[in-house]
Amino acid sequence: GLSSRLQNVFSKLRGKGKVSEDDVSEAMREVRLALLEADVNFKVVKDFIAKVKEKAVGKEVMDSFTPGMVIIDIVNKELTDLMGGSQSKLARATKPPTVIMMVGLQGAGKTTTSGKLAKMLQKQNHRPLLVAGDIYRPAAIKQLQVLGEQIKVPVFSLGDQTSPVEIAKAGLQHGKDNGHDYVIIDTAGRLHVDEELMEELRQIHSHVNPDEVLLVVDSMTGQDAVNVADHFNKQLELTGVVLTKLDGDTRGGAALSVKAVTGCPIKFATLGEKLDALEPFHPERMASRILGMGDMLSLIEKAQSNIDTEKAKEMERKMRNAEFTFDDFLEQMDQVKKLGPIDQILDMLPGMGKMKQMKDIKVDDKQMGRIEAIVQSMTTDEKQSPEIINHNRRKRIALGSGTSLAEVNRLIKQFDEMRRMMKQFSDMMGPKGGKNKAM
Ligand code: GDP
Ligand code: MG
């Protein structure tokens, strides 16, 4: 994928003490290919590379101590900008209810996202109302009602014999009358953009005057998603985009081009069919994730909302200072297990993405058990100062944990790598990362 290709380019640069213009050119050639392969819009790629190159061949970069890191930082910043710079929040009406209209093609994820959004708002102590505005797709109303029941959010419906415009109007009124502060209108989609659909959406729009018009696009469709977004935006004045199915085998191109092509910010991403698989979209985190630096911040945030806040904070501090020990590692694994499917979590941890890709290590919950056994077979000193674990100690640990020397070696190597990456990450991001000031 995009991520692993870019990681390869950058692991070559990272170690270099000096970077020549040729090095930069070669890296940029590979970045360009990686982006095109990820189905990023051609023009977006061209502009992107030009911008990065302009900054990367500057004198400050060449003269810096860690030119490779500086270039990665430039790419990181440009990727972030490309996706909108900072997080774009959901609009809020000065006078409630805030009206959110969901639009998009059939199957993009409008109805499920409506449910996810309602759940998120409810968790924030709001009182959302869902409005069933898709009268065309068989069972679309039922689908929303089932979602509503699951999350205990009321669903307003007038059946499928009333026009969507009337339903939207009545739904909004119902929301006002019943003290709802958010009204989420689910609408119908078509298999392709067509004029009839657009006209109906324009009608709904003019009657309910939404604060948000969120276009829901399927990130798996790559360039098509971007074309659809462009088309809808010209017809409807979107306020934001929701990228769905980022959990799937997407090549990432949609995330990288949507904002650049439409000017419309990505506000949310969805990463699964479950109702809590909705996340505010953070361009800077997405960029880090693409660059393989992991998404520690997302993970920490998730940890904070799901588990022990104090522990998570302490973990964050340790990660930033690279004081991470095997004890922390174990504890983190414990917490990680509570967070959800191990595959998804590993993607967010620096270094772990790579671990997952290694053919000979299959990281699943069973594998986690073996890793735990290894760490538990270490002495307190060894856990705190992994550098003292020499060959004899490794043999002892392997015996004690019922694993092999190779497994122990591999884990320690991965751990070192992880620590190193954390250190790099905090150098780049932390307040002491002053070496990049030249830019
Ligand atoms: P709509 O036609 O736009 O309303 O689309 P739906 O909400 O009915 O979703 C279409 C299909 O995509 C359903 O099977 C959803 O479960 C699935 N889906 C929606 N969002 C996601 C996501 O983030 N990840 C995955 N894997 N599937 C999703
Ligand atoms: Mg639907």
Side-chain angles (χ1 to χ4, degrees):
L2 179 60
S3 211
S4 55
R5 280 206 62 158
L6 290 179
Q7 281 176 53
N8 283 339
V9 179
F10 293 129
S11 61
K12 271 191 232 158
L13 274 182
R14 202 172 270 138
K16 292 213 176 202
K18 214 147 180 54
V19 173
S20 67
E21 260 190 72
D22 280 350
D23 290 333
V24 174
S25 293
E26 198 201 317
M28 286 310 119
R29 211 164 27 241
E30 289 184 40
V31 170
R32 183 174 160 275
L33 279 176
L35 292 174
L36 287 174
E37 213 169 76
D39 209 15
V40 179
N41 178 286
F42 178 77
K43 193 174 171 307
V44 172
V45 174
K46 202 167 150 229
D47 291 351
F48 180 82
I49 296 293
K51 270 191 205 151
V52 173
K53 240 182 173 163
E54 190 187 295
K55 291 187 184 158
V57 294
K59 190 172 177 314
E60 293 85 351
V61 175
M62 302 299 182
D63 290 349
S64 99
F65 284 121
T66 52
M69 293 296 283
V70 178
I71 290 171
I72 296 168
D73 197 31
I74 294 171
V75 173
N76 188 29
K77 283 204 178 96
E78 289 300 327
L79 276 179
T80 304
D81 273 1
L82 190 62
M83 290 183 285
S86 56
Q87 194 209 339
S88 183
K89 298 221 166 93
L90 204 58
R92 201 164 170 180
T94 39
K95 191 167 163 285
T98 297
V99 179
I100 303 171
M101 184 174 164
M102 310 294 286
V103 302
L105 296 186
Q106 196 167 316
K110 292 178 298 301
T111 306
T112 12
T113 305
S114 301
K116 289 171 183 171
L117 210 48
K119 182 170 185 194
M120 186 196 77
L121 289 167
Q122 192 187 43
K123 222 177 157 187
Q124 298 164 358
N125 294 320
H126 293 294
R127 296 195 61 227
L129 172 72
L130 287 162
V131 177
D134 182 358
I135 61 167
Y136 306 107
R137 197 179 192 181
I141 298 173
K142 186 77 196 153
Q143 185 193 0
L144 195 65
Q145 282 167 339
V146 169
L147 288 176
E149 262 162 45
Q150 277 174 31
I151 57 176
K152 302 202 164 43
V153 167
V155 174
F156 179 87
S157 160
L158 291 177
D160 59 7
Q161 299 301 310
T162 313
S163 81
V165 179
E166 292 306 318
I167 294 172
K169 271 161 59 181
L172 175 54
Q173 192 56 49
H174 181 88
K176 283 180 181 163
D177 294 344
N178 291 277
H180 290 285
D181 56 354
Y182 283 87
V183 173
I184 301 168
I185 305 173
D186 184 27
T187 66
R190 301 273 195 282
L191 287 174
H192 302 283
V193 177
D194 70 36
E195 192 39 44
E196 206 183 326
L197 167 71
M198 284 300 174
E199 183 50 32
E200 187 175 291
L201 294 175
R202 273 194 296 263
Q203 290 269 337
I204 297 175
H205 190 286
S206 73
H207 280 93
V208 302
N209 193 22
D211 303 284
E212 284 281 3
V213 184
L214 294 182
L215 176 72
V216 180
V217 290
D218 181 342
S219 63
M220 308 270 288
T221 60
Q223 273 309 294
D224 273 347
V226 179
N227 295 336
V228 166
D230 196 29
H231 194 91
F232 266 84
N233 193 42
K234 283 178 176 137
Q235 307 278 325
L236 257 184
E237 260 190 73
L238 305 173
T239 59
V241 172
V242 180
L243 268 188
T244 61
K245 310 183 194 181
L246 271 183
D247 54 310
D249 190 22
T250 162
R251 288 181 287 168
L256 288 170
S257 336
V258 158
K259 173 67 172 59
V261 172
T262 66
C264 226
I266 300 169
K267 293 201 170 172
F268 295 97
T270 76
L271 297 112
E273 303 201 46
K274 289 212 184 110
L275 283 169
D276 49 13
L278 174 82
E279 285 180 9
F281 185 81
H282 295 275
E284 67 278 20
R285 295 183 193 179
M286 186 71 181
S288 303
R289 201 183 284 193
I290 289 172
L291 291 182
M293 291 189 288
D295 197 348
M296 274 191 283
L297 294 172
S298 275
L299 187 66
I300 287 154
E301 201 169 72
K302 215 168 170 185
Q304 279 173 346
S305 72
N306 283 287
I307 26 177
D308 195 322
T309 315
E310 283 308 310
K311 270 191 193 155
K313 273 201 183 126
E314 175 61 12
M315 208 63 89
E316 179 184 8
R317 193 190 62 75
K318 283 187 169 165
M319 281 183 170
R320 286 198 181 283
N321 298 328
E323 286 170 12
F324 206 67
T325 68
F326 265 114
D327 274 327
D328 300 321
F329 185 76
L330 256 198
E331 192 173 300
Q332 194 189 42
M333 266 194 183
D334 250 13
Q335 306 242 3
V336 159
K337 277 196 281 191
K338 293 185 209 155
L339 289 176
I342 218 73
D343 272 23
Q344 264 185 41
I345 301 298
L346 283 184
D347 281 340
M348 294 198 256
L349 281 172
M352 290 299 215
K354 231 195 259 164
M355 181 159 156
K356 214 174 76 175
Q357 285 162 23
M358 289 176 65
K359 278 196 297 294
D360 47 345
I361 299 190
K362 211 180 150 308
V363 183
D364 50 24
D365 293 299
K366 213 176 182 176
Q367 180 62 28
M368 294 288 272
R370 294 179 76 77
I371 291 174
E372 265 176 0
I374 294 175
V375 178
Q376 274 155 359
S377 296
M378 295 175 183
T379 65
T380 311
D381 283 351
E382 287 165 351
K383 282 188 234 170
Q384 294 292 331
S385 320
E387 54 283 355
I388 67 169
I389 311 180
N390 58 20
H391 183 71
N392 279 338
R393 287 173 186 258
R394 288 175 193 217
K395 277 206 293 206
R396 193 207 74 238
I397 292 168
L399 263 177
S401 58
T403 60
S404 66
L405 182 60
E407 273 176 285
V408 174
N409 284 338
R410 207 148 49 208
L411 178 65
I412 293 173
K413 188 160 164 268
Q414 290 293 344
F415 181 81
D416 280 347
E417 211 164 276
M418 186 166 141
R419 274 228 286 208
R420 209 167 34 242
M421 288 189 77
M422 283 175 182
K423 180 84 177 50
Q424 283 174 349
F425 186 81
S426 67
D427 282 352
M428 274 173 59
M429 303 299 171
K432 278 178 269 168
K435 58 180 170 250
N436 299 339
K437 285 226 177 74
M439 307 179 317

